[in-house]
Amino acid sequence: MAENNAANTTISEKIEKQSIHTADLKSVFWAMDTHIAIDEQHKRNTLEILRREIAVKEVRLVNDRRKIWQNHLRYADRTMMILHLSGCVFMLLLIAVMHLNRIDNKVMTLASMILSGALGFLSILEVGKICFAELSELSETCYFNVTQMSAFHMISSGIMNLAMLFFAILFVSVQWKMRLIQIGLYMLVPFFFTQCVCLGILLTETGRRNIWLTAAAGVFLSVFYTVLASTPRLYTQSALLIWGIALAVFSTLFCIQVKTLFTEISKGEILCTNWN
């Protein structure tokens, strides 16, 4: 009982000290404001102007999905989107050049893995731009908040990636006489694996503050795929089951990471750590 009374007394003292400290701060601000000359007539005129503007201001809710997407595209940072689109075009051109030069299947497989991994890196870089700009807290107060902009970038980059990969897989399968499922696994596994690694870095506080960590991961994975291509056993028909399991694991892990990303954004953990 005595311990409880002592604890209550301590809490009361802390509250009292905090109240005194707050009162002192208020008195300091009040004293500073007394030295500022305020034109009362100008103050009334300004208030009247604000009232007139608010009265004529029309707030319209946008329920049309097409208009919402248009507004997203209008206000989004299009720099990374253009870079991502340029990467897709470059991939198409490079595959066409390799076809004209009659590159063999082994080199084509390695190039496909590196290029698909690069697409995965660009898609995460597009989403990470929101954190790398160090304006997440300010963006949260805008018309489209961080969650909405992140979802927009993920959906738009996902559409570009899937369209690009589908076309590349179909083209390589026809031109290099490779099985569709085979070249599909060779492209999709590096794509999801790169996304998992880069998004995993982005989910860390250090990774959100340093874009070079994500870039270094992209370069390292390109070298890793080159080393992986030097193992012929991984590219036999019997190894396709391993590639299929890897695709299922990495795609599932990527979905979990995406859910974790939006959970941390909604909790404010990403926003509150986005400063130097």
Side-chain angles (χ1 to χ4, degrees):
M1 189 71 177
E3 293 180 355
N4 292 335
N5 292 333
N8 292 333
T9 303
T10 304
I11 295 174
S12 301
E13 290 177 353
K14 289 183 178 180
I15 295 175
E16 184 178 355
K17 290 181 180 179
Q18 184 67 29
S19 300
I20 295 174
H21 182 63
T22 304
D24 291 341
L25 287 177
K26 288 182 179 179
S27 63
V28 171
F29 281 112
W30 179 264
M32 293 298 296
D33 291 342
T34 56
H35 299 288
I36 301 176
I38 299 177
D39 188 341
E40 293 297 331
Q41 182 62 37
H42 184 69
K43 179 179 178 181
R44 287 192 293 270
N45 293 339
T46 303
L47 182 59
E48 184 62 29
I49 293 173
L50 290 175
R51 287 174 177 171
R52 288 200 301 266
E53 291 295 328
I54 293 174
V56 299
K57 183 176 179 61
E58 184 180 359
V59 179
R60 292 178 296 178
L61 297 178
V62 180
N63 296 322
D64 190 343
R65 293 184 178 181
R66 182 178 60 83
K67 290 183 178 180
I68 292 176
W69 276 89
Q70 287 177 349
N71 289 335
H72 266 298
L73 185 61
R74 177 183 177 185
Y75 293 108
D77 183 0
R78 292 182 287 274
T79 304
M80 292 306 304
M81 297 179 64
I82 294 174
L83 179 62
H84 191 179
L85 184 60
S86 300
C88 293
V89 174
F90 175 76
M91 183 177 180
L92 286 175
L93 294 176
L94 190 57
I95 291 177
V97 170
M98 286 189 290
H99 171 62
L100 294 176
N101 288 286
R102 301 185 181 279
I103 300 298
D104 60 23
N105 287 15
K106 183 177 180 180
V107 177
M108 185 59 226
T109 300
L110 172 60
S112 299
M113 293 175 64
I114 294 176
L115 290 174
S116 60
L119 284 184
F121 164 73
L122 287 175
S123 62
I124 299 301
L125 196 64
E126 184 176 339
V127 177
K129 181 66 164 53
I130 299 174
C131 295
F132 297 143
E134 299 181 359
L135 294 174
S136 297
E137 294 88 348
L138 181 60
S139 300
E140 188 67 10
T141 64
C142 297
Y143 184 79
F144 292 112
N145 57 32
V146 177
T147 302
Q148 293 170 324
M149 295 304 296
S150 299
F152 170 76
H153 284 295
M154 281 198 166
I155 293 174
S156 60
S157 64
I159 292 174
M160 281 193 293
N161 287 333
L162 291 177
M164 177 63 229
L165 289 173
F166 175 79
F167 181 82
I169 290 170
L170 188 62
F171 182 81
V172 173
S173 176
V174 172
Q175 298 300 329
W176 273 268
K177 303 298 186 293
M178 300 176 67
R179 292 177 60 186
L180 191 65
I181 187 173
Q182 186 177 11
I183 188 61
L185 290 173
Y186 293 162
M187 284 191 178
L188 291 176
V189 170
F191 172 74
F192 279 107
F193 180 64
T194 302
Q195 285 194 315
C196 287
V197 173
C198 293
L199 186 55
I201 294 174
L202 187 64
L203 287 173
T204 64
E205 182 178 345
T206 304
R208 289 192 295 272
R209 295 183 181 182
N210 194 346
I211 188 175
W212 296 110
L213 288 178
T214 307
V219 175
F220 172 78
L221 290 176
S222 298
V223 178
F224 172 73
Y225 297 142
T226 305
V227 175
L228 198 66
S230 62
T231 309
R233 294 180 182 177
L234 293 176
Y235 299 91
T236 59
Q237 295 292 332
S238 59
L240 290 181
L241 178 61
I242 298 176
W243 286 89
I245 295 174
L247 176 60
V249 171
F250 293 142
S251 58
T252 303
L253 178 60
F254 178 68
C255 293
I256 295 174
Q257 287 179 321
V258 171
K259 182 179 179 180
T260 303
L261 174 67
F262 285 105
T263 301
E264 291 191 1
I265 291 176
S266 63
K267 288 182 178 180
E269 295 178 7
I270 287 181
L271 303 179
C272 294
T273 58
N274 185 220
W275 53 272
N276 289 325

